[in-house]
Amino acid sequence: QGTVYASAPKQEKKEKKDFALPPAGRDMRRVYAYLLKNRLLDREVISAFVRAGSLYESCEKFGDNEYRNAVFVGKDANGIARHAHKRSVNSIGKTFRINVEGSDPRCSFHHTGSSDRLYVFEAPIDLLSFLTLYPEDWQRHSYVALCGTAEHAVLWMLEQHPGIRMVCLCLDHDAAGIEANGRLTDLLREYGCDEVEVLQSEYKDWNEDVKARQGLPAQASEE
């Protein structure tokens, strides 16, 4: 209509925030209660990651409110924390989960073993659920939680540990997980990893399988 539109002003580029772990609480009562009672995870598996410094309970205050979360820590090759995934331990209400700002997506929550096998999961709870289901000699193998479905963490694990020959994709048994399995399989083969397998839970994810084993209702898988 003959009107000249002014271009939008350039937005200032935000500086990337430095990574810092959330402050730890004085105990882990809520995290243990949530993981044991609500998620039905194995105590010894949980404690192994606690002893490794990869799992703790945070305590953050915002105004008059105090928030407790489970924090799943990812470390670099030198054992320095570079990634943290926070998850609420509330059994009631909306679930809260987020990667801490400034986290390096390559150094996600993981365990490094001595075998040539790497198991890949979407979330830390999935990883711990799998170990609860199959605990025998689990420390021998390597495991990583992507905290999503991006490939950064699995590729970093392969770079850091060239002895890994087999990658087993254990993502959720739903439409998004199946799509991600296919995408990651193609990407890993392009990367040079020929031994890629897909291992699916019977139900929607590995924690649903844990529930089913305990005789509880479990969310069905989807194709």
Side-chain angles (χ1 to χ4, degrees), residues 30 41 53 55-56 72 74 82 91-92 94 97 104-106 138 163:
R30 292 175 180 82
L41 301 181
L55 172 60
Y56 71 94
F72 301 91
R82 301 293 186 190
S91 57
I92 301 174
K94 192 175 181 180
R97 54 180 179 266
D104 185 339
R106 299 174 302 169
W138 68 264

Side-chain angles (χ1 to χ4, degrees), residues 45-221:
V45 170
I46 298 169
S47 296
F49 284 90
V50 172
R51 289 192 295 269
S54 298
L55 172 60
Y56 71 94
E57 183 176 316
S58 67
C59 178
E60 299 176 85
K61 293 184 178 181
F62 297 96
D64 296 329
N65 298 319
E66 183 178 276
Y67 297 92
R68 301 278 184 149
N69 295 293
V71 181
F72 301 91
V73 181
K75 301 178 182 180
D76 65 14
N78 297 315
I80 299 172
R82 301 293 186 190
H83 187 284
H85 179 77
K86 291 197 301 185
R87 196 186 201 293
S88 64
V89 294
N90 298 324
S91 57
I92 301 174
K94 192 175 181 180
T95 300
F96 167 82
R97 54 180 179 266
I98 191 172
N99 293 329
V100 172
E101 191 173 355
S103 290
D104 185 339
R106 299 174 302 169
C107 306
S108 191
F109 180 73
H110 66 276
H111 166 81
T112 304
S114 57
S115 80
D116 63 352
R117 185 175 288 263
L118 171 65
Y119 294 85
V120 183
F121 302 87
E122 287 190 31
I125 295 289
D126 299 325
L127 191 162
L128 298 178
S129 298
F130 184 85
L131 300 184
T132 296
L133 291 164
Y134 308 104
E136 186 177 354
D137 208 17
W138 68 264
Q139 293 93 339
R140 288 185 54 246
H141 307 300
S142 296
Y143 310 84
V144 64
L146 304 177
C147 296
T149 58
E151 68 275 8
H152 309 293
V154 64
L155 294 182
W156 184 81
M157 289 288 287
L158 293 176
E159 290 171 6
Q160 297 298 311
H161 309 289
I164 293 174
R165 295 285 181 266
M166 164 70 72
V167 176
C168 192
L169 299 174
C170 309
L171 307 187
D172 288 1
H173 195 164
D174 59 14
I178 293 169
E179 187 278 331
N181 277 329
R183 178 176 54 81
L184 290 174
T185 297
D186 292 341
L187 190 149
L188 287 166
R189 286 177 176 159
E190 289 177 10
Y191 183 81
C193 182
D194 294 326
E195 295 188 64
V196 183
E197 290 184 354
V198 172
L199 182 61
Q200 290 183 310
S201 55
E202 181 179 353
Y203 292 87
K204 188 260 181 187
D205 58 41
W206 298 104
N207 194 246
E208 296 299 320
D209 279 15
V210 171
K211 293 177 184 177
R213 179 180 285 190
Q214 297 292 330
L216 298 175
Q219 187 176 346
S221 61

